[in-house]
Amino acid sequence: MAKLNTNSNAYTIIYASVLVIIVAFLLAFISSALKDTQEKNVALDTKKQILSALNIRDCADPEAEWSKVLGDQDQNAEILTADVNGEQKLVVKVKGAGLWGPIWGWVSINKDGETVYGTFFNHEGETAGLGARIKEQWFQESFQGKKIFADGNVVLSVFKAGKADPTLSADNYVDAVTGATLTSNGVHDMLRAGIAAKQADIEAFKNK
């Protein structure tokens, strides 16, 4: 029987190919095994974000809180209704673009269909300490109580300090994140376009 030549090109190619197949199989197996867990974690994180938009943060049992406030609604829905301490809220999803990638969030609206109850914003890759601060609670809470519409148009805005549209009331806007003009502009545009796209739903909620 001929001795296997481990120094040959054929041996190297076959050995490398077998290793690649084994590694690919193991990765596929691990990915499949963890798929359900990953999907559950993503769903739970989304629920936490929506609850945050309803000013329900850091709760001990997010799943139980979700069931209490939003029932069996799908967290991936663009529009949800919530009952917070006996008060009806509408939650709308908004999506846009920041400086380095997608940004998104949720805006909860009081039953008057005019006033922001709460917000939550997230991002994919904004700059830490600058644009990434849209995810911080202080920025999100600055929208609470702001008026969304004027004369039937969406006027909820984000402006650089001292650069607000003089035709708008202070009730219609918040100050941008310092040093993150482009990300703040992205939030501004996201709110304007996202809420305008759901204006009919907001009106229906208001009149229900």
Side-chain angles (χ1 to χ4, degrees):
M1 182 176 179
K3 185 178 179 180
L4 182 64
N5 183 5
T6 58
N7 294 317
S8 67
N9 290 336
Y11 175 84
T12 301
I13 292 171
I14 293 171
Y15 181 78
S17 298
V18 170
L19 278 181
V20 168
I21 292 171
I22 292 173
V23 171
F25 172 79
L26 288 174
L27 289 175
F29 175 78
I30 292 170
S31 176
S32 177
L34 295 177
K35 184 178 179 181
D36 286 346
T37 300
Q38 291 171 338
E39 289 178 348
K40 287 179 181 178
N41 288 338
V42 169
L44 179 60
D45 185 59
T46 301
K47 288 180 178 180
K48 287 180 179 179
Q49 293 182 32
I50 295 171
L51 287 171
S52 293
L54 289 162
N55 303 320
I56 303 171
R57 301 172 185 265
D58 303 318
C59 51
D61 189 343
E63 288 285 10
E65 196 66 29
W66 177 274
S67 296
K68 175 184 173 183
V69 175
L70 292 117
D72 59 356
Q73 295 177 85
D74 183 356
Q75 74 276 355
N76 295 314
E78 295 278 322
I79 299 172
L80 303 105
T81 55
D83 185 321
V84 181
N85 299 322
E87 296 182 357
Q88 294 296 305
K89 312 294 179 185
L90 186 73
V91 184
V92 299
K93 186 173 184 179
V94 291
K95 294 175 284 188
L99 174 59
W100 300 113
I103 57 176
W104 64 93
W106 288 266
V107 180
S108 64
I109 302 169
N110 287 323
K111 192 65 173 70
D112 63 3
E114 300 281 343
T115 312
V116 175
Y117 179 66
T119 64
F120 182 88
F121 305 118
N122 209 340
H123 64 91
E124 190 168 280
E126 298 307 290
T127 307
L130 295 173
R133 300 189 75 191
I134 65 172
K135 193 176 178 179
E136 295 181 5
Q137 188 171 340
W138 67 268
F139 178 69
Q140 296 165 9
E141 288 183 345
S142 66
F143 287 86
Q144 292 178 10
K146 296 299 181 180
K147 299 300 181 182
I148 302 170
F149 301 102
D151 299 323
N153 299 311
V154 180
V155 293
L156 184 62
S157 306
V158 180
F159 291 116
K160 188 175 181 179
K163 300 293 184 180
D165 183 339
T167 66
L168 296 181
S169 162
D171 287 338
N172 299 132
Y173 63 85
V174 304
D175 288 339
V177 176
T178 302
T181 301
L182 292 179
T183 304
S184 297
N185 289 346
V187 175
H188 172 96
D189 294 340
M190 173 176 73
L191 291 170
R192 289 287 187 96
I195 294 175
K198 297 175 175 66
Q199 195 163 346
D201 298 287
I202 297 170
E203 190 67 22
F205 168 74
K206 174 183 177 180
N207 296 322
K208 187 174 179 180

